[in-house]
């Protein structure tokens, strides 16, 4: 059976702030809408499901994020995920210039969890705490080509 990854869905506290963060990093907004109704209740498994959503795409056209902000039921705040917790872990992006990407993240109040590491002279990478506590990995390939 053929299978392909369609998107990664992330519930956010503030849809506009999350869109600003990811579009500043280089993703583009494919579309926005508000979803609700019986089909949404059934698909998501929540009665009265009502959310504002935005679909974003990476410049290469292969990666998509679906960001959603719940109107109903009320979103449940949870402590920020730690890197070693079971469950949804992080979203990762390759970037051409990690320092430029970190400057963009900093403008949104998002900073590395610890610092920038170099893996075997192949990658510079870091985990950033993004909007709504999302862990975002940024990685720059050092030996390009």
């Amino acid at each position: 059976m053929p299978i392909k990854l369609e998107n990664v869905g992330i519930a956010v506290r503030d849809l506009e702030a999350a869109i600003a963060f990811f579009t500043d990093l280089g993703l583009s907004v494919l579309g926005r809408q508000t979803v609700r109704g019986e089909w949404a209740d059934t698909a998501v498994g929540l009665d009265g499901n009502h959310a504002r959503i935005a679909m974003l795409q990476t410049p290469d056209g292969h990666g998509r994020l679906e960001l959603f902000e719940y109107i109903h039921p009320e979103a449940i705040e949870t402590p920020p995920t730690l890197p070693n917790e079971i469950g949804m872990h992080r979203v990762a992006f390759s970037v051409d210039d990690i320092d430029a990407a970190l400057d963009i993240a900093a403008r949104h109040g998002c900073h590395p969890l610890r610092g920038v590491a170099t893996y075997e002279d192949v990658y510079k990478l870091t985990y950033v705490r993004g909007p709504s506590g999302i862990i975002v990995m940024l990685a720059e390939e050092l030996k390009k080509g």
Side-chain angles (χ1 to χ4, degrees), residues 106-141:
R107 289 197 302 265
H108 292 270
C110 304
H111 304 281
L113 299 184
R114 181 164 295 165
V116 177
T118 301
Y119 172 70
E120 296 184 359
D121 295 325
V122 177
Y123 287 101
K124 284 173 62 175
L125 59 114
T126 189
Y127 282 11
V128 172
R129 182 71 65 188
S132 298
I134 301 164
I135 296 177
V136 177
M137 186 184 92
L138 301 171
E140 175 187 346
E141 187 176 2

PDB file of all heavy atoms in Angstrom, residues 106-141:
ATOM      1  N   ALA A 106      14.815  34.516  17.359  1.00  0.00           N
ATOM      2  CA  ALA A 106      14.979  35.437  18.496  1.00  0.00           C
ATOM      3  C   ALA A 106      14.026  36.626  18.389  1.00  0.00           C
ATOM      4  O   ALA A 106      13.512  37.106  19.404  1.00  0.00           O
ATOM      5  CB  ALA A 106      16.427  35.902  18.592  1.00  0.00           C
ATOM      6  N   ARG A 107      13.777  37.089  17.180  1.00  0.00           N
ATOM      7  CA  ARG A 107      12.831  38.197  16.999  1.00  0.00           C
ATOM      8  C   ARG A 107      11.422  37.813  17.448  1.00  0.00           C
ATOM      9  O   ARG A 107      10.598  38.676  17.725  1.00  0.00           O
ATOM     10  CB  ARG A 107      12.819  38.665  15.541  1.00  0.00           C
ATOM     11  CG  ARG A 107      14.093  39.390  15.153  1.00  0.00           C
ATOM     12  CD  ARG A 107      13.944  40.194  13.873  1.00  0.00           C
ATOM     13  NE  ARG A 107      13.547  39.434  12.708  1.00  0.00           N
ATOM     14  CZ  ARG A 107      14.397  38.934  11.801  1.00  0.00           C
ATOM     15  NH1 ARG A 107      15.707  39.113  11.939  1.00  0.00           N
ATOM     16  NH2 ARG A 107      13.940  38.265  10.762  1.00  0.00           N
ATOM     17  N   HIS A 108      11.157  36.522  17.517  1.00  0.00           N
ATOM     18  CA  HIS A 108       9.868  36.016  17.990  1.00  0.00           C
ATOM     19  C   HIS A 108       9.942  35.564  19.452  1.00  0.00           C
ATOM     20  O   HIS A 108       9.014  34.925  19.945  1.00  0.00           O
ATOM     21  CB  HIS A 108       9.408  34.854  17.106  1.00  0.00           C
ATOM     22  CG  HIS A 108       9.051  35.291  15.726  1.00  0.00           C
ATOM     23  ND1 HIS A 108       7.785  35.686  15.371  1.00  0.00           N
ATOM     24  CD2 HIS A 108       9.817  35.433  14.610  1.00  0.00           C
ATOM     25  CE1 HIS A 108       7.774  36.037  14.097  1.00  0.00           C
ATOM     26  NE2 HIS A 108       8.998  35.897  13.614  1.00  0.00           N
ATOM     27  N   GLY A 109      11.056  35.875  20.119  1.00  0.00           N
ATOM     28  CA  GLY A 109      11.224  35.487  21.515  1.00  0.00           C
ATOM     29  C   GLY A 109      11.539  34.017  21.690  1.00  0.00           C
ATOM     30  O   GLY A 109      11.351  33.465  22.770  1.00  0.00           O
ATOM     31  N   CYS A 110      12.050  33.374  20.645  1.00  0.00           N
ATOM     32  CA  CYS A 110      12.322  31.933  20.663  1.00  0.00           C
ATOM     33  C   CYS A 110      13.828  31.717  20.621  1.00  0.00           C
ATOM     34  O   CYS A 110      14.509  32.225  19.733  1.00  0.00           O
ATOM     35  CB  CYS A 110      11.650  31.265  19.470  1.00  0.00           C
ATOM     36  SG  CYS A 110       9.860  31.568  19.393  1.00  0.00           S
ATOM     37  N   HIS A 111      14.318  30.934  21.575  1.00  0.00           N
ATOM     38  CA  HIS A 111      15.759  30.766  21.740  1.00  0.00           C
ATOM     39  C   HIS A 111      16.108  29.292  21.920  1.00  0.00           C
ATOM     40  O   HIS A 111      15.262  28.495  22.333  1.00  0.00           O
ATOM     41  CB  HIS A 111      16.237  31.568  22.948  1.00  0.00           C
ATOM     42  CG  HIS A 111      15.876  33.016  22.847  1.00  0.00           C
ATOM     43  ND1 HIS A 111      16.584  33.898  22.071  1.00  0.00           N
ATOM     44  CD2 HIS A 111      14.859  33.723  23.397  1.00  0.00           C
ATOM     45  CE1 HIS A 111      16.034  35.096  22.152  1.00  0.00           C
ATOM     46  NE2 HIS A 111      14.979  35.018  22.947  1.00  0.00           N
ATOM     47  N   PRO A 112      17.364  28.909  21.640  1.00  0.00           N
ATOM     48  CA  PRO A 112      17.779  27.513  21.832  1.00  0.00           C
ATOM     49  C   PRO A 112      17.559  27.045  23.269  1.00  0.00           C
ATOM     50  O   PRO A 112      17.684  27.831  24.222  1.00  0.00           O
ATOM     51  CB  PRO A 112      19.274  27.540  21.487  1.00  0.00           C
ATOM     52  CG  PRO A 112      19.427  28.716  20.574  1.00  0.00           C
ATOM     53  CD  PRO A 112      18.441  29.733  21.083  1.00  0.00           C
ATOM     54  N   LEU A 113      17.261  25.762  23.410  1.00  0.00           N
ATOM     55  CA  LEU A 113      17.108  25.192  24.745  1.00  0.00           C
ATOM     56  C   LEU A 113      18.424  25.243  25.505  1.00  0.00           C
ATOM     57  O   LEU A 113      18.443  25.470  26.708  1.00  0.00           O
ATOM     58  CB  LEU A 113      16.618  23.740  24.666  1.00  0.00           C
ATOM     59  CG  LEU A 113      15.255  23.509  24.011  1.00  0.00           C
ATOM     60  CD1 LEU A 113      14.881  22.036  24.118  1.00  0.00           C
ATOM     61  CD2 LEU A 113      14.184  24.389  24.615  1.00  0.00           C
ATOM     62  N   ARG A 114      19.545  25.057  24.804  1.00  0.00           N
ATOM     63  CA  ARG A 114      20.851  25.108  25.447  1.00  0.00           C
ATOM     64  C   ARG A 114      21.866  25.871  24.614  1.00  0.00           C
ATOM     65  O   ARG A 114      22.548  26.736  25.110  1.00  0.00           O
ATOM     66  CB  ARG A 114      21.370  23.713  25.748  1.00  0.00           C
ATOM     67  CG  ARG A 114      22.725  23.757  26.441  1.00  0.00           C
ATOM     68  CD  ARG A 114      23.128  22.480  27.094  1.00  0.00           C
ATOM     69  NE  ARG A 114      22.225  22.178  28.195  1.00  0.00           N
ATOM     70  CZ  ARG A 114      22.143  21.006  28.784  1.00  0.00           C
ATOM     71  NH1 ARG A 114      22.903  20.016  28.385  1.00  0.00           N
ATOM     72  NH2 ARG A 114      21.307  20.802  29.773  1.00  0.00           N
ATOM     73  N   GLY A 115      22.025  25.529  23.381  1.00  0.00           N
ATOM     74  CA  GLY A 115      23.009  26.178  22.522  1.00  0.00           C
ATOM     75  C   GLY A 115      23.019  25.509  21.165  1.00  0.00           C
ATOM     76  O   GLY A 115      22.144  24.716  20.842  1.00  0.00           O
ATOM     77  N   VAL A 116      24.012  25.839  20.365  1.00  0.00           N
ATOM     78  CA  VAL A 116      24.167  25.248  19.036  1.00  0.00           C
ATOM     79  C   VAL A 116      25.296  24.229  19.107  1.00  0.00           C
ATOM     80  O   VAL A 116      26.380  24.529  19.603  1.00  0.00           O
ATOM     81  CB  VAL A 116      24.483  26.327  17.978  1.00  0.00           C
ATOM     82  CG1 VAL A 116      24.710  25.701  16.619  1.00  0.00           C
ATOM     83  CG2 VAL A 116      23.351  27.359  17.920  1.00  0.00           C
ATOM     84  N   ALA A 117      25.029  23.031  18.619  1.00  0.00           N
ATOM     85  CA  ALA A 117      26.012  21.948  18.646  1.00  0.00           C
ATOM     86  C   ALA A 117      26.501  21.655  17.235  1.00  0.00           C
ATOM     87  O   ALA A 117      25.793  21.912  16.262  1.00  0.00           O
ATOM     88  CB  ALA A 117      25.384  20.689  19.243  1.00  0.00           C
ATOM     89  N   THR A 118      27.690  21.113  17.155  1.00  0.00           N
ATOM     90  CA  THR A 118      28.221  20.646  15.874  1.00  0.00           C
ATOM     91  C   THR A 118      28.330  19.135  15.952  1.00  0.00           C
ATOM     92  O   THR A 118      28.955  18.596  16.866  1.00  0.00           O
ATOM     93  CB  THR A 118      29.602  21.265  15.581  1.00  0.00           C
ATOM     94  OG1 THR A 118      29.459  22.687  15.565  1.00  0.00           O
ATOM     95  CG2 THR A 118      30.137  20.793  14.241  1.00  0.00           C
ATOM     96  N   TYR A 119      27.684  18.455  14.996  1.00  0.00           N
ATOM     97  CA  TYR A 119      27.707  17.001  14.945  1.00  0.00           C
ATOM     98  C   TYR A 119      28.705  16.563  13.881  1.00  0.00           C
ATOM     99  O   TYR A 119      28.477  16.749  12.685  1.00  0.00           O
ATOM    100  CB  TYR A 119      26.313  16.454  14.638  1.00  0.00           C
ATOM    101  CG  TYR A 119      26.300  14.965  14.392  1.00  0.00           C
ATOM    102  CD1 TYR A 119      26.517  14.071  15.433  1.00  0.00           C
ATOM    103  CD2 TYR A 119      26.111  14.465  13.121  1.00  0.00           C
ATOM    104  CE1 TYR A 119      26.520  12.704  15.208  1.00  0.00           C
ATOM    105  CE2 TYR A 119      26.117  13.099  12.878  1.00  0.00           C
ATOM    106  CZ  TYR A 119      26.326  12.225  13.930  1.00  0.00           C
ATOM    107  OH  TYR A 119      26.340  10.883  13.711  1.00  0.00           O
ATOM    108  N   GLU A 120      29.826  15.998  14.321  1.00  0.00           N
ATOM    109  CA  GLU A 120      30.851  15.402  13.460  1.00  0.00           C
ATOM    110  C   GLU A 120      31.216  16.258  12.246  1.00  0.00           C
ATOM    111  O   GLU A 120      31.403  15.749  11.153  1.00  0.00           O
ATOM    112  CB  GLU A 120      30.409  14.006  13.008  1.00  0.00           C
ATOM    113  CG  GLU A 120      30.279  13.027  14.156  1.00  0.00           C
ATOM    114  CD  GLU A 120      29.945  11.616  13.694  1.00  0.00           C
ATOM    115  OE1 GLU A 120      29.786  11.376  12.479  1.00  0.00           O
ATOM    116  OE2 GLU A 120      29.853  10.734  14.573  1.00  0.00           O
ATOM    117  N   ASP A 121      31.308  17.542  12.410  1.00  0.00           N
ATOM    118  CA  ASP A 121      31.632  18.466  11.316  1.00  0.00           C
ATOM    119  C   ASP A 121      30.700  18.301  10.116  1.00  0.00           C
ATOM    120  O   ASP A 121      31.067  18.649   8.990  1.00  0.00           O
ATOM    121  CB  ASP A 121      33.098  18.298  10.866  1.00  0.00           C
ATOM    122  CG  ASP A 121      34.075  18.690  11.958  1.00  0.00           C
ATOM    123  OD1 ASP A 121      33.763  19.630  12.708  1.00  0.00           O
ATOM    124  OD2 ASP A 121      35.134  18.050  12.058  1.00  0.00           O
ATOM    125  N   VAL A 122      29.506  17.754  10.356  1.00  0.00           N
ATOM    126  CA  VAL A 122      28.536  17.535   9.296  1.00  0.00           C
ATOM    127  C   VAL A 122      27.367  18.516   9.426  1.00  0.00           C
ATOM    128  O   VAL A 122      26.901  19.070   8.437  1.00  0.00           O
ATOM    129  CB  VAL A 122      28.010  16.086   9.303  1.00  0.00           C
ATOM    130  CG1 VAL A 122      26.945  15.868   8.248  1.00  0.00           C
ATOM    131  CG2 VAL A 122      29.162  15.106   9.113  1.00  0.00           C
ATOM    132  N   TYR A 123      26.883  18.711  10.652  1.00  0.00           N
ATOM    133  CA  TYR A 123      25.748  19.596  10.917  1.00  0.00           C
ATOM    134  C   TYR A 123      26.022  20.492  12.107  1.00  0.00           C
ATOM    135  O   TYR A 123      26.657  20.066  13.076  1.00  0.00           O
ATOM    136  CB  TYR A 123      24.482  18.796  11.268  1.00  0.00           C
ATOM    137  CG  TYR A 123      23.834  18.093  10.128  1.00  0.00           C
ATOM    138  CD1 TYR A 123      24.024  16.728   9.933  1.00  0.00           C
ATOM    139  CD2 TYR A 123      22.990  18.772   9.251  1.00  0.00           C
ATOM    140  CE1 TYR A 123      23.407  16.058   8.892  1.00  0.00           C
ATOM    141  CE2 TYR A 123      22.382  18.109   8.200  1.00  0.00           C
ATOM    142  CZ  TYR A 123      22.585  16.761   8.034  1.00  0.00           C
ATOM    143  OH  TYR A 123      21.979  16.105   6.995  1.00  0.00           O
ATOM    144  N   LYS A 124      25.501  21.711  12.030  1.00  0.00           N
ATOM    145  CA  LYS A 124      25.305  22.557  13.203  1.00  0.00           C
ATOM    146  C   LYS A 124      23.810  22.480  13.475  1.00  0.00           C
ATOM    147  O   LYS A 124      23.003  22.641  12.553  1.00  0.00           O
ATOM    148  CB  LYS A 124      25.707  24.012  12.919  1.00  0.00           C
ATOM    149  CG  LYS A 124      27.201  24.233  12.900  1.00  0.00           C
ATOM    150  CD  LYS A 124      27.589  25.634  12.464  1.00  0.00           C
ATOM    151  CE  LYS A 124      27.081  26.704  13.389  1.00  0.00           C
ATOM    152  NZ  LYS A 124      27.577  28.060  13.004  1.00  0.00           N
ATOM    153  N   LEU A 125      23.429  22.184  14.718  1.00  0.00           N
ATOM    154  CA  LEU A 125      22.016  22.043  15.004  1.00  0.00           C
ATOM    155  C   LEU A 125      21.669  22.467  16.413  1.00  0.00           C
ATOM    156  O   LEU A 125      22.532  22.512  17.296  1.00  0.00           O
ATOM    157  CB  LEU A 125      21.544  20.613  14.755  1.00  0.00           C
ATOM    158  CG  LEU A 125      22.230  19.516  15.548  1.00  0.00           C
ATOM    159  CD1 LEU A 125      21.255  18.865  16.493  1.00  0.00           C
ATOM    160  CD2 LEU A 125      22.785  18.489  14.589  1.00  0.00           C
ATOM    161  N   THR A 126      20.399  22.782  16.588  1.00  0.00           N
ATOM    162  CA  THR A 126      19.895  23.194  17.887  1.00  0.00           C
ATOM    163  C   THR A 126      18.407  22.950  17.964  1.00  0.00           C
ATOM    164  O   THR A 126      17.729  22.846  16.936  1.00  0.00           O
ATOM    165  CB  THR A 126      20.203  24.690  18.156  1.00  0.00           C
ATOM    166  OG1 THR A 126      19.892  25.000  19.510  1.00  0.00           O
ATOM    167  CG2 THR A 126      19.426  25.600  17.226  1.00  0.00           C
ATOM    168  N   TYR A 127      17.906  22.839  19.180  1.00  0.00           N
ATOM    169  CA  TYR A 127      16.473  22.815  19.441  1.00  0.00           C
ATOM    170  C   TYR A 127      16.088  24.190  19.971  1.00  0.00           C
ATOM    171  O   TYR A 127      16.736  24.714  20.882  1.00  0.00           O
ATOM    172  CB  TYR A 127      16.120  21.776  20.502  1.00  0.00           C
ATOM    173  CG  TYR A 127      16.080  20.335  20.040  1.00  0.00           C
ATOM    174  CD1 TYR A 127      16.562  19.928  18.807  1.00  0.00           C
ATOM    175  CD2 TYR A 127      15.555  19.367  20.877  1.00  0.00           C
ATOM    176  CE1 TYR A 127      16.516  18.602  18.413  1.00  0.00           C
ATOM    177  CE2 TYR A 127      15.495  18.039  20.493  1.00  0.00           C
ATOM    178  CZ  TYR A 127      15.976  17.668  19.259  1.00  0.00           C
ATOM    179  OH  TYR A 127      15.927  16.352  18.872  1.00  0.00           O
ATOM    180  N   VAL A 128      15.038  24.761  19.402  1.00  0.00           N
ATOM    181  CA  VAL A 128      14.520  26.061  19.798  1.00  0.00           C
ATOM    182  C   VAL A 128      13.135  25.846  20.372  1.00  0.00           C
ATOM    183  O   VAL A 128      12.362  25.029  19.853  1.00  0.00           O
ATOM    184  CB  VAL A 128      14.433  26.997  18.562  1.00  0.00           C
ATOM    185  CG1 VAL A 128      13.727  28.292  18.895  1.00  0.00           C
ATOM    186  CG2 VAL A 128      15.802  27.263  17.993  1.00  0.00           C
ATOM    187  N   ARG A 129      12.823  26.571  21.425  1.00  0.00           N
ATOM    188  CA  ARG A 129      11.451  26.549  21.956  1.00  0.00           C
ATOM    189  C   ARG A 129      10.664  27.575  21.156  1.00  0.00           C
ATOM    190  O   ARG A 129      10.851  28.764  21.307  1.00  0.00           O
ATOM    191  CB  ARG A 129      11.454  26.883  23.443  1.00  0.00           C
ATOM    192  CG  ARG A 129      10.113  26.853  24.108  1.00  0.00           C
ATOM    193  CD  ARG A 129       9.524  25.488  24.278  1.00  0.00           C
ATOM    194  NE  ARG A 129      10.318  24.666  25.172  1.00  0.00           N
ATOM    195  CZ  ARG A 129      10.093  23.387  25.369  1.00  0.00           C
ATOM    196  NH1 ARG A 129       9.122  22.766  24.735  1.00  0.00           N
ATOM    197  NH2 ARG A 129      10.857  22.686  26.173  1.00  0.00           N
ATOM    198  N   GLY A 130       9.806  27.106  20.271  1.00  0.00           N
ATOM    199  CA  GLY A 130       9.055  27.976  19.375  1.00  0.00           C
ATOM    200  C   GLY A 130       7.749  28.450  19.982  1.00  0.00           C
ATOM    201  O   GLY A 130       7.511  28.310  21.180  1.00  0.00           O
ATOM    202  N   PRO A 131       6.860  29.008  19.151  1.00  0.00           N
ATOM    203  CA  PRO A 131       5.575  29.504  19.645  1.00  0.00           C
ATOM    204  C   PRO A 131       4.755  28.365  20.245  1.00  0.00           C
ATOM    205  O   PRO A 131       4.836  27.223  19.797  1.00  0.00           O
ATOM    206  CB  PRO A 131       4.909  30.083  18.399  1.00  0.00           C
ATOM    207  CG  PRO A 131       5.620  29.494  17.243  1.00  0.00           C
ATOM    208  CD  PRO A 131       7.006  29.157  17.707  1.00  0.00           C
ATOM    209  N   SER A 132       3.989  28.694  21.277  1.00  0.00           N
ATOM    210  CA  SER A 132       3.157  27.722  21.992  1.00  0.00           C
ATOM    211  C   SER A 132       3.979  26.573  22.560  1.00  0.00           C
ATOM    212  O   SER A 132       3.456  25.488  22.794  1.00  0.00           O
ATOM    213  CB  SER A 132       2.024  27.186  21.102  1.00  0.00           C
ATOM    214  OG  SER A 132       1.163  28.229  20.705  1.00  0.00           O
ATOM    215  N   GLY A 133       5.285  26.792  22.766  1.00  0.00           N
ATOM    216  CA  GLY A 133       6.138  25.770  23.372  1.00  0.00           C
ATOM    217  C   GLY A 133       6.600  24.680  22.431  1.00  0.00           C
ATOM    218  O   GLY A 133       7.218  23.707  22.859  1.00  0.00           O
ATOM    219  N   ILE A 134       6.326  24.809  21.133  1.00  0.00           N
ATOM    220  CA  ILE A 134       6.718  23.796  20.152  1.00  0.00           C
ATOM    221  C   ILE A 134       8.245  23.699  20.106  1.00  0.00           C
ATOM    222  O   ILE A 134       8.930  24.718  20.054  1.00  0.00           O
ATOM    223  CB  ILE A 134       6.214  24.175  18.736  1.00  0.00           C
ATOM    224  CG1 ILE A 134       4.701  24.320  18.722  1.00  0.00           C
ATOM    225  CG2 ILE A 134       6.685  23.162  17.696  1.00  0.00           C
ATOM    226  CD1 ILE A 134       4.189  25.052  17.484  1.00  0.00           C
ATOM    227  N   ILE A 135       8.777  22.477  20.124  1.00  0.00           N
ATOM    228  CA  ILE A 135      10.209  22.301  19.929  1.00  0.00           C
ATOM    229  C   ILE A 135      10.471  22.244  18.426  1.00  0.00           C
ATOM    230  O   ILE A 135       9.880  21.435  17.709  1.00  0.00           O
ATOM    231  CB  ILE A 135      10.738  21.023  20.610  1.00  0.00           C
ATOM    232  CG1 ILE A 135      10.564  21.122  22.135  1.00  0.00           C
ATOM    233  CG2 ILE A 135      12.214  20.814  20.260  1.00  0.00           C
ATOM    234  CD1 ILE A 135      10.987  19.867  22.874  1.00  0.00           C
ATOM    235  N   VAL A 136      11.351  23.140  17.969  1.00  0.00           N
ATOM    236  CA  VAL A 136      11.706  23.230  16.558  1.00  0.00           C
ATOM    237  C   VAL A 136      13.201  22.972  16.444  1.00  0.00           C
ATOM    238  O   VAL A 136      13.999  23.663  17.088  1.00  0.00           O
ATOM    239  CB  VAL A 136      11.365  24.625  15.985  1.00  0.00           C
ATOM    240  CG1 VAL A 136      11.795  24.736  14.528  1.00  0.00           C
ATOM    241  CG2 VAL A 136       9.879  24.918  16.143  1.00  0.00           C
ATOM    242  N   MET A 137      13.596  21.954  15.666  1.00  0.00           N
ATOM    243  CA  MET A 137      15.008  21.703  15.423  1.00  0.00           C
ATOM    244  C   MET A 137      15.419  22.434  14.158  1.00  0.00           C
ATOM    245  O   MET A 137      14.734  22.359  13.142  1.00  0.00           O
ATOM    246  CB  MET A 137      15.300  20.217  15.251  1.00  0.00           C
ATOM    247  CG  MET A 137      16.801  19.923  15.146  1.00  0.00           C
ATOM    248  SD  MET A 137      17.163  18.178  14.824  1.00  0.00           S
ATOM    249  CE  MET A 137      17.212  18.193  13.044  1.00  0.00           C
ATOM    250  N   LEU A 138      16.526  23.145  14.246  1.00  0.00           N
ATOM    251  CA  LEU A 138      17.114  23.812  13.092  1.00  0.00           C
ATOM    252  C   LEU A 138      18.473  23.179  12.849  1.00  0.00           C
ATOM    253  O   LEU A 138      19.259  23.016  13.784  1.00  0.00           O
ATOM    254  CB  LEU A 138      17.274  25.312  13.371  1.00  0.00           C
ATOM    255  CG  LEU A 138      15.986  26.067  13.697  1.00  0.00           C
ATOM    256  CD1 LEU A 138      16.305  27.479  14.168  1.00  0.00           C
ATOM    257  CD2 LEU A 138      15.055  26.086  12.490  1.00  0.00           C
ATOM    258  N   ALA A 139      18.751  22.803  11.603  1.00  0.00           N
ATOM    259  CA  ALA A 139      20.013  22.138  11.277  1.00  0.00           C
ATOM    260  C   ALA A 139      20.586  22.711   9.989  1.00  0.00           C
ATOM    261  O   ALA A 139      19.872  22.826   8.986  1.00  0.00           O
ATOM    262  CB  ALA A 139      19.813  20.637  11.122  1.00  0.00           C
ATOM    263  N   GLU A 140      21.865  23.063  10.038  1.00  0.00           N
ATOM    264  CA  GLU A 140      22.577  23.540   8.863  1.00  0.00           C
ATOM    265  C   GLU A 140      23.628  22.514   8.482  1.00  0.00           C
ATOM    266  O   GLU A 140      24.485  22.138   9.301  1.00  0.00           O
ATOM    267  CB  GLU A 140      23.270  24.872   9.162  1.00  0.00           C
ATOM    268  CG  GLU A 140      24.124  25.387   8.026  1.00  0.00           C
ATOM    269  CD  GLU A 140      24.942  26.615   8.387  1.00  0.00           C
ATOM    270  OE1 GLU A 140      24.681  27.254   9.428  1.00  0.00           O
ATOM    271  OE2 GLU A 140      25.874  26.935   7.612  1.00  0.00           O
ATOM    272  N   GLU A 141      23.550  22.029   7.250  1.00  0.00           N
ATOM    273  CA  GLU A 141      24.546  21.086   6.751  1.00  0.00           C
ATOM    274  C   GLU A 141      25.834  21.854   6.492  1.00  0.00           C
ATOM    275  O   GLU A 141      25.842  22.860   5.781  1.00  0.00           O
ATOM    276  CB  GLU A 141      24.052  20.413   5.482  1.00  0.00           C
ATOM    277  CG  GLU A 141      24.967  19.304   5.017  1.00  0.00           C
ATOM    278  CD  GLU A 141      24.413  18.571   3.793  1.00  0.00           C
ATOM    279  OE1 GLU A 141      23.336  18.939   3.285  1.00  0.00           O
ATOM    280  OE2 GLU A 141      25.074  17.622   3.350  1.00  0.00           O
TER     281      GLU A 141
END
